[in-house]
Amino acid sequence: MKAEASPKKTVLHSTVGMKSIVTSLAAFFIVVSSISLLFERGQEAQVQIAVERRNQEMQVKVAANKHHGQQMKSQEAEVQLKMAAAEHQDQQVRGHQEAKVQLKVAAAEHHDQQVMRGNEAEMQWRAELQDLGKEECSWSTGRWVYDNVSRPLYSGLKCSFIFPEVACDKYGRKDVMYQHWRWQPQGCELPRFNASKLLEKLRNKRLVFVGDSLNRNQWVSLVCMVEASIPDDRLKTRIYNGSLISFKALEYNATIDFYWSPLLLESNSDNPIIHRVEYRIIRADRIEKHASVWRNADIIVFNSYLWWRKQKEDMKMKVMYGSFEDGDARLDEVEMVDGFEIAIKKLTEWLGENIDKNKTRIFFAGSSPTHSWASNWGGEDSNKCLNETEPIYKIGYKAATTDYSLMAKAESYFRTLEPKGIHVQILNITELSDYRKDGHPSIYRKQYVPLTKEQVANPASYADCTHWCLPGVPDVWNEFLYGYLMYK
């Protein structure tokens, strides 16, 4: 068996060969290192890129989250806005509901107040009616009570409709006690005067005072009593038309007139400025000229006493029958009281034939006393009512010169109208006025004729002790009228 031959080993002994190998190895290592370096740097770049991408992704996510957060916040804000709107709506609803409830409560309270006031007014009205209905109670019987709280009812200096012959404080009267007396009936109370209630009662109506200067005195009093409740001058007027003076409260369409007709029938004294006091003539069958003025009135207040009084003992008057035109004129001379009866009879006939009992209310004012004879109350006649500052306090006082017979005669004629359903209410103001010797103008009024030397030397000689200062006694006459109109 042949032995296998061993491979031959080639040994390089050349120096050049070793250097090549070393160089090759070095180059190889350099290449490998470079590749490793490049690979590492590539990995770093990739890592960096990855990191950057990751950062970008994170930023995007953050931005997305932020945007999402903003969206969430927007949604939250929207939700909050909706909640606020809903809450506001709820508040409005609750507010409206509360307002409705409050309104209902207020309405209920107002209704309750109205009911209470209505009940109070009704109770007051019933109490007043009760007082008025007492048979034993007479407004005309009583006494004067000093009252500087509720009297006067108005200011004479402020009443733009007052007449100068009764504006005593304007013409120098310094004592004003006469303005502060209140009439207190025995056993009852006068209804408290309320201007607004009276004007409401007179809405779309006409009240006429018919008579002489004392009736005009009462008319001025009533106008001052009501006009004080109408502060706006544009809502009240006064118009003169011959014998007719008309006051109108425009807001109420209420008219309060005065018509000058001192003797009721046609007479030679029908001119309110120019007339003869002592020489008087009436036309017995002529009333229509005057009646045409008051025919359609809703309320008429007649007064006619002063002009039937005798100015001197032998004073008489003339009564004319027929007419000069027809050639049957006749003049008869009669006593003053007989002339009064002729006039009252004719007036009664006219009322019975022409008055609508369902529309018109008729009043006849009692006799207003004068205070020209001071001996009636223990004074000197020469002084008349001059310097009197207090009423007569004696209860039941009746002056010897006060005539009640004319009023009794008028009442007897007016009673004949009752079967026809026509009632003439007498305003019995004589007794209460008789106490008031202090209530006249005396010398404190406008003098239309210059005073003589004799009059200046003796003021009592021209003192007016017939008419009444305002505010004053005629205000009570109108309180009577108010009481009848409102409650009887």
Side-chain angles (χ1 to χ4, degrees):
M1 181 174 176
K2 294 178 180 179
E4 290 183 7
S6 299
K8 294 179 181 179
K9 295 185 183 176
T10 302
V11 178
L12 297 177
H13 292 285
S14 177
T15 309
V16 176
M18 289 296 291
K19 286 182 180 178
S20 296
I21 293 168
V22 171
T23 301
S24 299
L25 288 171
F28 174 76
F29 282 115
I30 290 169
V31 171
V32 170
S33 298
S34 297
I35 292 168
S36 298
L37 182 61
L38 288 171
F39 179 76
E40 287 176 0
R41 285 183 180 175
Q43 282 185 334
E44 287 177 2
Q46 287 178 352
V47 169
Q48 187 175 356
I49 290 169
V51 169
E52 288 177 358
R53 285 181 180 174
R54 180 64 179 170
N55 287 339
Q56 287 175 354
E57 289 176 2
M58 290 294 292
Q59 287 175 355
V60 170
K61 286 182 179 179
V62 168
N65 289 337
K66 190 174 182 182
H67 178 68
H68 180 68
Q70 287 177 345
Q71 284 184 329
M72 291 291 292
K73 285 181 180 177
S74 297
Q75 290 176 352
E76 288 176 3
E78 188 177 353
V79 170
Q80 288 176 353
L81 187 62
K82 288 181 179 179
M83 289 175 65
E87 187 175 354
H88 178 67
Q89 188 176 5
D90 290 342
Q91 287 177 349
Q92 281 187 323
V93 171
R94 285 197 301 270
H96 286 312
Q97 290 175 342
E98 289 174 2
K100 285 181 181 179
V101 170
Q102 289 175 354
L103 188 61
K104 287 180 180 178
V105 170
E109 288 177 354
H110 180 66
H111 175 70
D112 291 343
Q113 288 175 354
Q114 283 186 320
V115 170
M116 288 176 66
R117 286 175 184 168
N119 291 339
E120 288 173 3
E122 186 177 359
M123 287 174 66
Q124 182 182 356
W125 176 74
R126 289 185 182 279
E128 289 173 352
L129 281 183
Q130 222 172 18
D131 282 337
L132 295 173
K134 292 178 181 177
E135 291 183 3
E136 69 273 12
C137 176
S138 171
W139 290 347
S140 59
T141 302
R143 61 191 177 93
W144 288 97
V145 177
Y146 187 75
D147 180 356
N148 61 356
V149 176
S150 67
R151 294 296 183 275
L153 296 173
Y154 56 91
S155 168
L157 294 173
K158 293 181 180 178
C159 179
S160 55
F161 297 93
I162 199 166
F163 277 37
E165 59 265 32
V166 295
C168 303
D169 47 1
K170 181 179 179 180
Y171 285 90
R173 183 166 181 174
K174 301 302 181 184
D175 68 290
V176 293
M177 281 184 65
Y178 70 92
Q179 299 183 9
H180 297 295
W181 294 95
R182 172 175 54 82
W183 179 248
Q184 177 60 59
Q186 184 177 349
C188 61
E189 300 290 334
L190 269 176
R192 183 178 298 178
F193 182 81
N194 185 307
S196 298
K197 283 186 178 180
L198 180 59
L199 287 170
E200 191 60 50
K201 183 76 173 180
L202 296 178
R203 184 181 290 277
N204 300 320
K205 291 184 173 62
R206 180 174 177 238
L207 186 161
V208 184
F209 289 87
V210 178
D212 54 31
S213 56
L214 281 166
N215 217 17
R216 185 174 61 208
N217 207 162
Q218 185 177 358
W219 172 80
V220 174
S221 163
L222 186 61
V223 169
C224 287
M225 288 167 77
V226 300
E227 76 97 25
S229 69
I230 311 173
D232 191 339
D233 290 339
R234 296 170 299 178
L235 298 178
K236 49 193 174 183
T237 62
R238 178 175 61 183
I239 300 172
Y240 291 85
N241 184 15
S243 295
L244 181 67
I245 311 172
S246 184
F247 169 83
K248 194 158 190 174
L250 301 178
E251 185 180 359
Y252 297 86
N253 191 32
T255 304
I256 304 174
D257 288 346
F258 168 74
Y259 181 69
W260 174 266
S261 179
L263 296 167
L264 300 178
L265 305 179
E266 291 183 31
S267 73
N268 66 336
S269 303
D270 285 347
N271 189 303
I273 307 299
I274 304 169
H275 46 252
R276 301 185 64 179
V277 176
E278 293 187 2
Y279 184 67
R280 299 173 187 173
I281 302 173
I282 58 171
R283 303 189 69 172
D285 55 351
R286 297 295 179 90
I287 194 174
E288 190 56 43
K289 184 183 82 171
H290 296 324
S292 63
V293 177
W294 69 64
R295 177 185 295 274
N296 295 321
D298 299 279
I299 304 159
I300 310 172
V301 183
F302 292 101
N303 172 286
S304 186
Y305 290 111
L306 181 62
W307 281 63
W308 305 101
R309 292 174 183 163
K310 290 185 176 184
Q311 301 297 316
K312 52 187 180 180
E313 190 61 34
D314 61 346
M315 183 177 177
K316 293 186 178 183
M317 70 182 302
K318 296 284 195 331
V319 179
M320 180 178 176
Y321 296 91
S323 67
F324 292 110
E325 293 84 357
D326 296 335
D328 59 349
R330 185 180 90 248
L331 281 176
D332 290 352
E333 188 174 66
V334 300
E335 295 290 339
M336 300 300 295
V337 66
D338 296 327
F340 176 77
E341 187 168 1
I342 291 170
I344 290 296
K345 181 180 179 182
K346 184 63 180 178
L347 175 63
T348 303
E349 290 174 358
W350 187 93
L351 292 174
E353 294 169 1
N354 295 278
I355 284 297
D356 181 353
K357 64 181 180 181
N358 297 316
K359 176 191 175 184
T360 307
R361 295 193 66 176
I362 308 164
F363 297 86
F364 203 91
S367 175
S368 172
T370 61
H371 290 91
S372 299
W373 296 272
S375 58
N376 284 334
W377 59 86
E380 295 291 331
D381 280 343
S382 59
N383 291 331
K384 300 171 71 175
C385 65
L386 187 65
N387 298 324
E388 294 291 346
T389 59
E390 295 182 60
I392 296 166
Y393 295 111
K394 181 183 177 182
I395 301 298
Y397 168 83
K398 291 183 181 180
T401 52
T402 300
D403 186 1
Y404 286 82
S405 64
L406 294 179
M407 188 166 64
K409 191 174 291 293
E411 282 186 286
S412 66
Y413 273 97
F414 294 145
R415 276 196 294 271
T416 65
L417 295 172
E418 295 289 345
K420 296 181 179 180
I422 299 172
H423 176 67
V424 178
Q425 178 64 55
I426 301 295
L427 297 177
N428 190 356
I429 50 86
T430 306
E431 181 180 331
L432 69 90
S433 305
D434 223 351
Y435 294 112
R436 294 301 303 276
K437 59 183 174 61
D438 62 314
H440 301 285
S442 64
I443 62 174
Y444 301 108
R445 53 163 291 173
K446 182 176 181 177
Q447 304 297 330
Y448 291 97
V449 179
L451 299 174
T452 64
K453 290 182 180 179
E454 292 76 17
Q455 287 176 320
V456 173
N458 180 21
S461 64
Y462 69 91
D464 180 355
C465 299
T466 299
H467 300 95
W468 302 92
C469 294
L470 294 178
V473 174
D475 300 339
V476 178
W477 305 352
N478 285 317
E479 286 183 284
F480 279 25
L481 178 62
Y482 172 81
Y484 281 114
L485 289 176
M486 299 300 293
Y487 302 108
K488 284 196 174 185

